[in-house]
DNA sequence: ATACATACC
DNA sequence: TACTGGTATGTAT
């Protein structure tokens, strides 16, 4: 039914989504995406990586096609039964809704880059990235203005920003700083989990999260945004609501939670959907 | 049961 | 020249 032109257009869009700039990151608002994508595609075209991505794209389209066919075979009877099942499940979940916890999710902003800038202040007002010509782990906010971001190969980043400074990774250093952050957070929390380098989640009474503790991160050359919510999933999702270095709280009431998730893009909770068995309910 | 694919950072 | 690597999970066969 679709004209070939239309399908090839959406195909191109899919490809751009796959390989082009993902600007869904703090500090990347209002970039000239078209120009940046042109440079990225110019650098990537014809590479082995490109060929591989093309192949994957085709596989995904095939799978979508299969699902559509399956969907077409669903009867209204099956649909009703499924709906009932879902409703029952939702009621069960509602029944065990627990708003008694307070989780603070702390997310260090451009962590590796922040540590490198702390240790070499000359880098502070220059565009830098941490990683290698093959792969970047993160970039600072100056670099993000050029479209340079995490998970981008360094050689492409150099084309976007020729004077970009690429600092090699120092995992040992990040581990040390990460530990310091953990020590700083530990006293007030009932229990906490600090990931190997970037994030941590704490369970704590709300009043034990004073502003001056939050500011600790800024003093050490880092900033951190945090999310406060009745569960880990919401704390994580709402932590990047006020990036960089902001704070967002979802109050522990059913209404506040509902309000927050009402217009939440499903993409944001994908992580939890995949691991939904590890969590209770919203 | 296994390999292969996806998602996260 | 060059498009991570560790981990957890989902899907296809």
């Amino acid at each position: 039914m679709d004209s070939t032109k239309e399908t090839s257009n959406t195909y191109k869009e899919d490809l751009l989504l796959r390989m082009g700039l993902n600007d869904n990151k703090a500090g990347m608002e209002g970039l000239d995406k078209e120009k940046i994508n042109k440079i990225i595609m110019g650098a990537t075209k014809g590479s082995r990586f490109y060929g591989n991505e093309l192949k994957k794209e085709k596989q995904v389209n095939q799978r979508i096609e299969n699902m559509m066919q399956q969907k077409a075979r669903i009867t209204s009877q099956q649909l009703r039964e499924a709906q009932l099942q879902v409703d029952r499940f939702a009621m069960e979940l509602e029944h065990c809704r627990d708003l008694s916890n307070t989780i603070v999710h702390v997310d260090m902003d451009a962590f590796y880059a922040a540590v490198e800038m702390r240790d070499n202040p000359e880098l502070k007002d220059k565009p830098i990235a941490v990683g290698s010509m093959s792969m970047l782990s993160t970039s600072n906010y100056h670099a993000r203005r050029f479209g340079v971001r995490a998970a981008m190969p360094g050689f492409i980043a150099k084309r976007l920003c020729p004077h970009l400074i690429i600092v090699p990774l120092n995992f040992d250093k990040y581990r040390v700083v990460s530990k310091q952050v953990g020590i700083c957070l530990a006293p007030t929390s009932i229990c906490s989990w600090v990931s190997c380098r970037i994030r941590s989640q704490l369970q704590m009474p709300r009043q034990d999260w004073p502003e001056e503790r939050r500011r600790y991160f800024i003093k050490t050359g880092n900033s951190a945004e945090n999310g406060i919510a009745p569960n880990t999933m919401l704390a994580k999702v709402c932590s990047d609501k006020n990036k960089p270095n902001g704070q967002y709280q979802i109050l522990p009431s059913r209404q506040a939670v509902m309000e927050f998730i009402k217009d939440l893009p499903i993409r944001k909770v994908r992580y939890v959907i995949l691991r939904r068995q590890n969590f209770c309910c919203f």
Side-chain angles (χ1 to χ4, degrees), chain A residues 63-80:
Chain A
R63 263 179 46 210
I64 291 171
E65 177 74 17
N66 293 346
M67 283 193 279
M68 294 307 244
Q69 285 178 9
Q70 255 179 289
K71 185 184 162 208
R73 273 186 254 115
I74 294 173
T75 65
S76 52
Q77 166 75 2
Q78 286 174 310
L79 207 59
R80 267 196 306 274

Side-chain angles (χ1 to χ4, degrees), chain A residues 77-143:
Chain A
Q77 166 75 2
Q78 286 174 310
L79 207 59
R80 267 196 306 274
E81 274 168 30
Q83 186 66 54
L84 262 168
Q85 244 177 306
V86 169
D87 289 346
R88 254 196 308 262
F89 188 46
M91 263 166 64
E92 260 173 60
L93 290 178
E94 188 59 58
H95 191 249
C96 68
R97 181 188 296 280
D98 180 3
L99 298 167
S100 66
N101 283 320
T102 301
I103 305 293
V104 178
H105 181 104
V106 180
D107 191 337
M108 307 300 289
D109 202 33
F111 184 49
Y112 298 174
V115 173
E116 296 303 340
M117 289 191 295
R118 180 198 66 174
D119 291 352
N120 183 0
E122 271 187 28
L123 301 175
K124 256 202 167 109
D125 31 55
K126 296 184 178 131
I128 74 157
V130 181
S132 71
M133 279 303 246
S134 303
M135 184 49 63
L136 303 179
S137 288
T138 192
S139 59
N140 68 0
Y141 279 72
H142 296 294

Side-chain angles (χ1 to χ4, degrees), chain A residues 153-185:
Chain A
F155 73 95
I156 291 179
K158 275 280 194 188
R159 291 202 195 180
L160 291 171
C161 174
H163 49 296
L164 177 75
I165 298 168
I166 298 180
V167 185
L169 285 154
N170 290 294
F171 278 117
D172 293 342
K173 228 159 61 173
Y174 313 142
R175 248 191 298 277
V176 171
V177 181
S178 171
K179 203 166 236 170
Q180 291 167 351
V181 171
I183 290 168
C184 159
L185 296 173

Side-chain angles (χ1 to χ4, degrees), chain A residues 36-68:
Chain A
I36 290 168
N37 278 337
K38 220 173 194 170
I39 297 174
I40 293 177
M41 291 313 242
T44 202
K45 215 155 218 170
S47 66
R48 260 172 68 178
F49 174 81
Y50 185 84
N52 212 344
E53 293 299 297
L54 270 184
K55 204 182 83 192
K56 283 199 234 164
E57 186 62 35
K58 280 185 192 138
Q59 277 169 337
V60 166
N61 285 337
Q62 184 59 56
R63 263 179 46 210
I64 291 171
E65 177 74 17
N66 293 346
M67 283 193 279
M68 294 307 244

